[in-house]
């Protein structure tokens, strides 16, 4: 699980790749349509697509000369589960810290 989370977070650490995911949230698009939104050479852009594919966030299919990409939203479920768990852990810690601060404040008065 840790390796998969590492791949997912690493893939999303780049602003270009996050922008591609945002673009694909509206539906599938060709690589050339996606690349048109970014100021970079096509080989560089294709490396970003490859990273997203290796992380399981994007799937591409080639039909003739057109490569079409679509987002694999299920890949984000693992991230969402991990983030929800972290939120629970930290909210619990913050709640205990707040209770402790309130207790100290009551004793000082």
């Amino acid at each position: 699980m840790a390796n998969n989370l590492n791949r997912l977070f690493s893939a999303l650490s780049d602003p270009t790749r996050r922008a591609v995911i945002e673009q694909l949230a509206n539906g599938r698009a060709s690589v050339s349509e996606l690349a048109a939104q970014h100021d970079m050479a096509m080989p560089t852009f294709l490396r970003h697509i490859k990273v997203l594919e290796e992380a399981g966030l994007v799937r591409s299919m080639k039909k003739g000369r057109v490569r079409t990409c679509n987002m694999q939203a299920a890949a984000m479920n693992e991230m969402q589960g991990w983030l929800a768990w972290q939120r629970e852990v930290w909210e619990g810690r913050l709640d205990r810290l707040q209770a402790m601060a309130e207790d100290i404040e009551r004793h000082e008065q």
Side-chain angles (χ1 to χ4, degrees):
M1 180 172 138
N3 284 338
N4 198 38
L5 279 173
N6 290 344
R7 267 194 304 278
L8 289 166
F9 281 114
S10 178
L12 293 174
S13 69
D14 183 88
T16 298
R17 294 191 287 264
R18 286 192 308 273
V20 168
I21 293 297
E22 289 174 15
Q23 289 172 268
L24 291 174
N26 296 320
R28 68 181 55 186
S30 70
V31 169
S32 58
E33 290 170 333
L34 295 168
Q37 305 295 316
H38 306 278
D39 187 26
M40 63 183 67
M42 185 58 80
T44 302
F45 185 76
L46 287 172
R47 283 194 292 271
H48 286 292
I49 297 297
K50 182 180 179 183
V51 169
L52 291 169
E53 284 181 309
E54 288 173 350
L57 292 163
V58 169
R59 186 179 338 170
S60 70
M61 299 182 329
K62 189 170 184 179
K63 188 172 184 179
R65 298 181 74 201
V66 178
R67 179 169 295 280
T68 304
C69 297
N70 63 334
M71 188 171 73
Q72 301 297 295
M76 295 206 185
N77 290 341
E78 188 173 353
M79 286 175 49
Q80 288 174 334
W82 185 84
L83 289 169
W85 173 65
Q86 287 296 308
R87 185 179 305 116
E88 280 182 39
V89 168
W90 284 100
E91 284 176 353
R93 289 177 180 174
L94 291 172
D95 288 345
R96 288 191 303 275
L97 182 61
Q98 181 179 3
M100 202 155 64
E102 289 171 354
D103 191 40
I104 290 169
E105 188 177 312
R106 275 193 300 273
H107 287 339
E108 287 178 352
Q109 291 176 351

